[in-house]
Structures are given as C-alpha cells and as structure tokens.
Amino acid sequence: MRVISYNIHSGTDKQKKHTLTDTIKYLKQQDADIICLQEVLYSNYRRIKFNLRMNGIFAENVSDKNYGVCIFSKYKIVAQNHVFLTSKKEQRGFAHIKVKINEDEYFNVINTHLGLDKYERVKQIDEILDFVSINLEGNIENLAGNIICGDFNEKNISINNFEDVSIKLNKDSIPTFSDSRIDYCFANTNLRIEDYTVDDVYMSDHFPIVVDFK
C-alpha cells in the first residue's frame, strides 16, 4: 500500500505560479492507494478527483475560501468524518476515512493541517488522539491499521501510540518544507513500514512524502 501526504499550496508553487496540472501528473505517476492533501481549494479537489478517478472526500475547514484538506482512496470508503479542531485564528480540522482494503480488513486514515500557534497545536493533537481513542481503538475486528498524515507546522512532533515513519526508517533529517520537517505520516504498530521518501519536486512550497506499507 502506497500513501502520499502533500501540502499542495492551493495548486501553486512558492512564487504563486499555477502548478495543479503538474501536481496531477505527479500523483498519477505515483499510483498511490491513499492520497492526503492539505491547503486544497474545493476547485482543486474536484479537478484532481476527476483526473485520478479515485474515491474521495473534501473537508472544508475555511468556508469563505472553500478551503481545507482532502483524502483520495483506491479502496471503497465505508465511513467518513470531518472534525473541526479548536483554532485561535484560521479554522483547522481533520478528515477521516475508513476503507475496506480486502474482503475482511479495514484501514483508517486521518489527514490534518494544524495551526500556526504552538499551544493551539498541542490542543489540536489532543483532540485528534481523543477521536482515535474513542472511535478507532479497542476491540475492533479486522482492523489492518490506522495512520495520521498531514502538515503539522512544527518540528519534532510525536504522537502517543503511533510511530513516526521517517524516524522508524532513519530518514527524519530530510526536510519537507524549506529546511524543516513539518509534514508527517504516523502509523500504529500493526503496520509494517517498507519505505519512506520525500520527493524533490517544486510544485508547492512543501515537498510530498511517500510511504509504502506492507
């Protein structure tokens, strides 16, 4: 299973040049099973979904801008949620999907974009973990695993009961934004991690992270 997390900067690069066509081409080439995108306009989401022909959900965090996060999946989406997080300035939130990956196994994905204030982010991570604890953990039959992806706007983040994929594979020195690593993929210990890559492409002000699970 291949998972991509990518802040697409509303389909523009660092100089605000439109890059959505190149982003779609890149995503097609990656042939990922799950794609988590942040800083997405609803118009971006519709165009990507049409071109990739994948199942998807859009979570509109900022209604006056039609702006938020989205998840695409090759698998059937059997449940979904959009949860707003406590926010001081621009509204933040996360999207969740539950997918059926084979005849008798399910997989949960959370995609988020956290705020710019450190104390705000602490509260937001606690709220994500509360959702996981209440809804995604415990005696759940046929659960293959849970992952949390996104732009966390902070270096050296850790999440209880989840492994930071880049640290697990000793690749945590690779930046995902300028010279910092602020984009993450966390996985619970059920999952076997095979590979982690930060692709050196310039279609946004962030770099995409690509994770392969067994």
Side-chain angles (χ1 to χ4, degrees):
M1 177 188 294
R2 171 161 287 188
V3 176
I4 294 177
S5 181
Y6 192 14
N7 181 323
I8 66 167
H9 199 228
S10 302
T12 65
D13 64 13
K14 290 173 70 173
Q15 287 74 42
K16 298 289 187 177
K17 177 184 174 184
H18 291 287
T19 57
L20 191 61
T21 298
D22 291 334
T23 298
I24 291 170
K25 182 179 179 181
Y26 165 81
L27 293 173
K28 279 186 173 181
Q29 290 171 341
Q30 291 301 311
D31 194 29
D33 301 288
I34 301 287
I35 300 173
C36 296
L37 304 179
Q38 306 87 42
E39 289 196 27
V40 184
L41 298 171
Y42 184 64
S43 59
N44 299 153
Y45 165 76
R46 289 291 301 271
R47 186 174 164 194
I48 295 169
K49 190 174 189 295
F50 176 81
N51 281 275
L52 297 186
R53 305 293 184 183
M54 295 174 74
N55 302 309
I57 68 163
F58 178 76
E60 184 182 71
N61 293 329
V62 185
S63 58
D64 61 336
K65 297 180 181 178
N66 300 124
Y67 176 82
V69 301
C70 66
I71 309 176
F72 297 102
S73 171
K74 285 188 176 179
Y75 305 108
K76 181 181 179 180
I77 298 173
V78 297
Q80 63 185 63
N81 293 282
H82 174 208
V83 179
F84 289 116
L85 298 170
T86 300
S87 303
K88 291 184 176 181
K89 293 184 179 179
E90 185 176 83
Q91 180 64 54
R92 300 300 167 105
F94 69 83
H96 158 257
I97 63 170
K98 179 181 179 181
V99 297
K100 188 174 184 179
I101 59 174
N102 57 45
E103 192 61 33
D104 60 354
E105 278 193 303
Y106 296 87
F107 188 77
N108 287 294
V109 182
I110 288 175
N111 177 27
T112 192
H113 184 193
L114 299 189
L116 298 176
D117 178 85
K118 182 176 180 63
Y119 300 102
E120 177 184 39
R121 290 192 294 270
V122 170
K123 176 67 174 173
Q124 290 169 346
I125 290 173
D126 284 343
E127 290 172 348
I128 293 171
L129 289 177
D130 285 345
F131 177 87
V132 171
S133 177
I134 293 168
N135 298 284
L136 308 184
E137 291 183 342
N139 186 25
I140 301 175
E141 294 183 2
N142 304 326
L143 178 65
N146 300 323
I147 63 168
I148 303 173
C149 293
D151 175 359
F152 285 71
N153 272 317
E154 186 173 338
K155 297 183 289 185
N156 303 318
I157 289 279
S158 62
I159 293 186
N160 293 340
N161 302 321
F162 281 80
E163 292 183 321
D164 183 333
V165 170
S166 64
I167 290 178
K168 180 75 174 178
L169 297 183
N170 297 311
K171 294 184 176 181
D172 52 307
S173 62
I174 306 172
T176 64
F177 173 79
S178 186
D179 59 353
S180 301
R181 185 175 71 94
I182 62 173
D183 302 271
Y184 296 82
C185 180
F186 296 97
N188 67 353
T189 52
N190 303 24
L191 295 166
R192 178 181 164 190
I193 305 159
E194 286 199 321
D195 196 22
Y196 168 92
T197 304
V198 179
D199 274 344
D200 192 21
V201 293
Y202 294 87
M203 300 169 295
S204 170
D205 56 349
H206 289 245
F207 299 113
I209 61 176
V210 182
V211 184
D212 290 314
F213 296 99
K214 182 70 173 179

